[in-house]
Amino acid sequence: MSSYLIYTDDSGDEESSFFTALLIPMEKWSVTLRQWLKFRKWMYTQHQVPADYEWHTYEWLKGAGRPDSDKPDNLINTSVHLRREVCEKALKAIRAIGAQQGVGLLTCETSGPVKADAYAATVFALDSVLEKRDAHGVIIVDGGDHGVPDPNVRAAHRDLKLHSRRVVEDGWLQPAHASQLVQMADLVAHVAYQSTRRKPNREFMWDWYRDYLHEMELECRCP
C-alpha cells in the first residue's frame, strides 16, 4: 500500500477558484526535495536568487520584489521576460521530477471566488484517487504566515466518511515561506489557473500546463 505527501495551493479570481495538488510518494519525498533544491541552486548560481527567497508566482511574473537584494541592477530584479524564462525552467524541472519520482498532479476548479469550495472538491477528488490506488495520503496546505487553522479546511476533511477515507487527518498547515514544496505547488496552481482562464495579459503562459504538466495529471483536464 502506497502513501503520499500531498502539497496543495490555490489560485483563482472572482469567476472561478482552483486548487492544485502535487502527490509525492512518501519514499520519494527526500529525493524530490533534493531535485527541487538543485533547481533553486541553479537560480542562485545563474541569477543570484537565494534558496530562501519565497517563490510566489503571481508576484514573480508581474516583476514584484527584488530577489537579488544586493544588486538592484540585476536583470532578475527588473526583467519580466527573464522571470518568464526562469518559470519555464522551473516547470521543466517539475516535469522531470514527476517523470523520475512518480509525482502526480491533480487540479480542481469550482465556479466563483470561494476558495473553500475548490478545496473541498480537491479533498474529495484526492480521496477518490487514493482509493483507486489503494493508497493513503496527508495533505499539506499553505497555512499563511501565522499558521491559523482555516475552519473550512477542517470541515472539508471531516465530511469524508471515516470508515473508508484515504486522506489521513485534517490538512497540515505549512507556511509557504517555510516550505519549498508548497512554493512548487504555488507555481503549478497558477499555471493551471491561467491555462483555463486564459487572461489576455498572460497569453505567453496559456499553454504551459499542457506543455509541461499534462503528463503528470492523475485525472485529465482536457476538454
Side-chain angles (χ1 to χ4, degrees):
M1 184 177 292
S2 301
S3 298
Y4 292 87
L5 292 170
I6 305 168
Y7 290 82
T8 66
D9 208 351
D10 66 274
S11 191
D13 54 27
E14 290 300 311
E15 294 188 28
S16 58
S17 298
F18 293 77
F19 256 92
T20 293
L22 290 170
L23 291 85
I24 301 174
M26 199 165 289
E27 69 275 14
K28 299 291 186 178
W29 178 86
S30 59
V31 67
T32 296
L33 178 58
R34 189 164 64 245
Q35 287 184 283
W36 180 249
L37 288 173
K38 182 178 179 181
F39 166 73
R40 292 303 303 255
K41 182 178 180 180
W42 173 87
M43 285 181 67
Y44 180 73
T45 302
Q46 295 297 317
H47 303 294
Q48 294 71 58
V49 180
D52 61 358
Y53 181 82
E54 182 181 351
W55 180 294
H56 188 275
T57 309
Y58 175 77
E59 299 293 328
W60 178 269
L61 286 172
K62 76 174 186 177
R66 292 293 177 265
D68 183 0
S69 59
D70 295 330
K71 298 177 182 176
D73 293 334
N74 185 344
L75 281 178
I76 202 65
N77 291 331
T78 59
S79 172
V80 293
H81 294 288
L82 179 57
R83 292 197 189 191
R84 293 176 189 178
E85 291 177 6
V86 172
C87 265
E88 288 201 75
K89 181 81 173 179
L91 289 167
K92 290 176 182 177
I94 292 171
R95 179 176 62 187
I97 292 170
Q100 294 165 16
Q101 310 308 330
V103 177
L105 168 63
L106 183 76
T107 293
C108 289
E109 176 188 5
T110 54
S111 60
V114 182
K115 296 291 196 307
D117 292 344
Y119 183 75
T122 303
V123 170
F124 277 89
L126 285 168
D127 202 60
S128 175
V129 164
L130 292 170
E131 182 179 16
K132 292 174 184 176
R133 292 175 166 240
D134 192 22
H136 289 85
V138 174
I139 300 178
I140 294 93
V141 188
D142 180 5
D145 291 335
H146 305 293
V148 178
D150 181 344
N152 293 310
V153 168
R154 177 171 293 177
H157 287 254
R158 300 296 171 85
D159 282 343
L160 297 173
K161 295 180 180 179
L162 184 58
H163 73 278
S164 61
R165 61 183 284 182
R166 298 305 183 102
V167 173
V168 177
E169 269 290 355
D170 296 337
W172 291 4
L173 299 175
Q174 180 71 285
H177 67 79
S179 172
Q180 291 283 346
L181 297 177
V182 169
Q183 292 175 44
M184 186 165 72
D186 172 87
L187 172 58
V188 175
H190 191 68
V191 171
Y193 161 64
Q194 294 293 347
S195 72
T196 298
R197 298 293 293 119
R198 303 177 80 84
K199 297 289 187 178
N201 65 340
R202 288 289 180 263
E203 185 174 0
F204 64 88
M205 63 187 300
W206 287 356
D207 295 329
W208 282 1
Y209 193 93
R210 181 199 66 194
D211 293 345
Y212 298 115
L213 302 172
H214 173 71
E215 61 197 57
M216 294 174 61
E217 285 188 296
L218 299 176
E219 292 187 354
C220 181
R221 297 173 67 239
C222 296

